[in-house]
């Protein structure tokens, strides 16, 4: 097969293993990518992902709209806030949870990962999902 440029219209919406809406973009499945995937992510007001990590793969996120908190690290004890226009880098294997703390506004982001198979490297961490700072029981 000759390499060629492909234009992918915003794809079909699906729910990721992490429990969030995503819209298909570039991946091994959509275009035969061999080193990356990129897709759009939408987090409804008040929603969050399931605790997870991406074993062996880096993630870069560009926040298009809204604001999210990201809990990360051992016991998800570290915290950062990302707003529209910010980039977020998540190293391979780092546990994390993005949270949309707004009651009214969606958060939307472009997510790129060094895993061309999109969901292959997702490892859910259910033992972290009930931590008090994630459930509002502060």
């Amino acid at each position: 097969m000759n390499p060629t440029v492909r234009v992918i219209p915003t794809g079909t919406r699906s729910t990721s293993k992490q429990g969030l809406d995503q819209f298909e973009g570039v991946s091994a499945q959509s275009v035969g990518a061999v080193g990356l995937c990129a897709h759009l992510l939408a987090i409804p007001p008040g929603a969050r992902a399931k605790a997870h990590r991406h074993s062996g793969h880096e993630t870069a996120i560009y926040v298009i709209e809204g604001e999210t908190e990201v809990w990360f690290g051992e016991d998800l004890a570290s915290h950062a806030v990302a707003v529209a226009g910010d980039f977020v880098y998540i190293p391979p294997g780092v546990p994390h949870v993005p949270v949309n703390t707004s009651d009214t506004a969606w958060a939307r982001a472009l997510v790129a990962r060094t895993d061309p198979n999109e969901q292959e490297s997702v490892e859910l961490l259910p033992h972290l999902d009930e931590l008090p700072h994630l459930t509002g029981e502060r």
Side-chain angles (χ1 to χ4, degrees), residues 4-120:
T4 187
V5 172
R6 300 272 306 270
V7 174
I8 303 101
T10 299
T12 306
R13 183 184 82 156
S14 63
T15 301
S16 68
K17 287 182 185 178
Q18 302 94 307
L20 298 176
D21 286 345
Q22 65 181 20
F23 298 84
E24 181 183 30
V26 173
S27 68
Q29 294 74 23
S30 66
V31 298
V34 296
L36 65 87
C37 72
H39 61 272
L40 294 174
L41 177 69
I43 308 175
R48 68 174 175 89
K50 295 175 183 174
H52 66 283
R53 65 179 158 212
H54 303 277
S55 299
H57 293 282
E58 296 175 291
T59 302
I61 301 165
Y62 177 74
V63 182
I64 298 168
E65 178 182 3
E67 179 177 311
T68 60
E69 292 184 349
V70 182
W71 293 92
F72 62 94
E74 186 75 23
D75 292 327
L76 302 174
S78 297
H79 176 256
V81 175
V83 300
D86 287 345
F87 281 93
V88 177
Y89 171 72
I90 302 171
V94 172
H96 59 283
V97 173
V99 180
N100 181 350
T101 58
S102 173
D103 292 331
T104 58
W106 282 72
R108 291 182 173 80
L110 172 65
V111 178
R113 190 171 304 108
T114 57
D115 179 1
N117 290 303
E118 176 55 50
Q119 294 282 289
E120 292 296 317

